Amino acid sequence: RHGGGAGPGGATGMATIDRIEGRIAFLRAELKITDAQNAAWNVFADALRANAKSLGEVRAAIVAGSAQQSLVERFALQEKWLAARLEGVRAIKSPMVSLVAALSDDQKKTADELLAPHMGMMAMMQPGQMGSGAAQHGR
C-alpha cells in the first residue's frame, strides 16, 4: 500500500488519483464482487473515478504555479483542495452505503480494512492512534 499524508502533496492521495483504475480493479478483486453485486459496485466505482478526476484537476491547478504563488494564493488553493475532498466524500457516500449493504459479512470485513485507508479515514477509524495515522497507512 501507499504511505503518506492526506493533503495535496500527500503520497496516498496522489497515488490513488494517478492509479485509480488499478485501485478499483484491486478493490473489486479483493472484495470478491459477485454478479449480483455488480450494479452497486459499478455505481461506487464510477463515483471513485469522478472523485479522482476532480481531485486531479485541483492538483493540476496547485502544481501549475506553486513556486510563484503567494501565501494567500496557496491558502486559497488549499481551501479549494479541501472543498474538492469534501465534495468527493459526499458524492461517494451514497454509492458506498449501497455497496456495503449488498456485501456479505466477510466482504464487509475486507471493505473495512481496504476502503477506510483508501478514503483517507485511517485516523477516524482508529481514534486512539491518531498520532500514528501516517505509519498505519503503510500497513
Side-chain angles (χ1 to χ4, degrees):
R1 296 197 226 259
H2 310 292
T12 299
M14 294 307 97
T16 299
I17 292 167
D18 291 340
R19 299 182 186 114
I20 192 65
E21 290 304 325
R23 183 68 178 160
I24 288 170
F26 169 78
L27 291 170
R28 181 183 175 84
E30 290 294 310
L31 290 172
K32 300 176 179 144
I33 298 298
T34 67
D35 289 343
Q37 296 164 333
N38 270 336
W41 171 259
N42 288 335
V43 173
F44 176 71
D46 286 345
L48 292 179
R49 287 181 185 99
N51 183 54
K53 181 176 187 262
S54 174
L55 291 177
E57 290 168 358
V58 173
R59 177 185 62 182
I62 290 170
V63 172
S66 60
Q68 297 89 14
Q69 293 168 345
S70 70
L71 174 62
V72 172
E73 290 168 329
R74 288 192 311 261
F75 192 81
L77 287 173
Q78 178 68 14
E79 180 182 25
K80 188 174 182 178
W81 173 259
L82 293 172
R85 292 280 313 261
L86 178 59
E87 184 179 314
V89 167
R90 288 178 174 160
I92 291 170
K93 182 181 175 184
S94 179
M96 184 179 60
V97 168
S98 296
L99 174 63
V100 170
L103 298 178
S104 70
D105 288 344
D106 284 343
Q107 287 172 307
K108 287 176 185 176
K109 287 177 188 173
T110 302
D112 283 344
E113 293 172 9
L114 296 178
L115 292 179
H118 175 76
M119 306 305 292
M121 296 171 55
M122 186 51 68
M124 289 172 40
M125 299 304 291
Q126 298 177 353
Q129 299 179 8
M130 285 180 69
S132 61
Q136 292 292 323
H137 248 69
R139 291 195 272 168

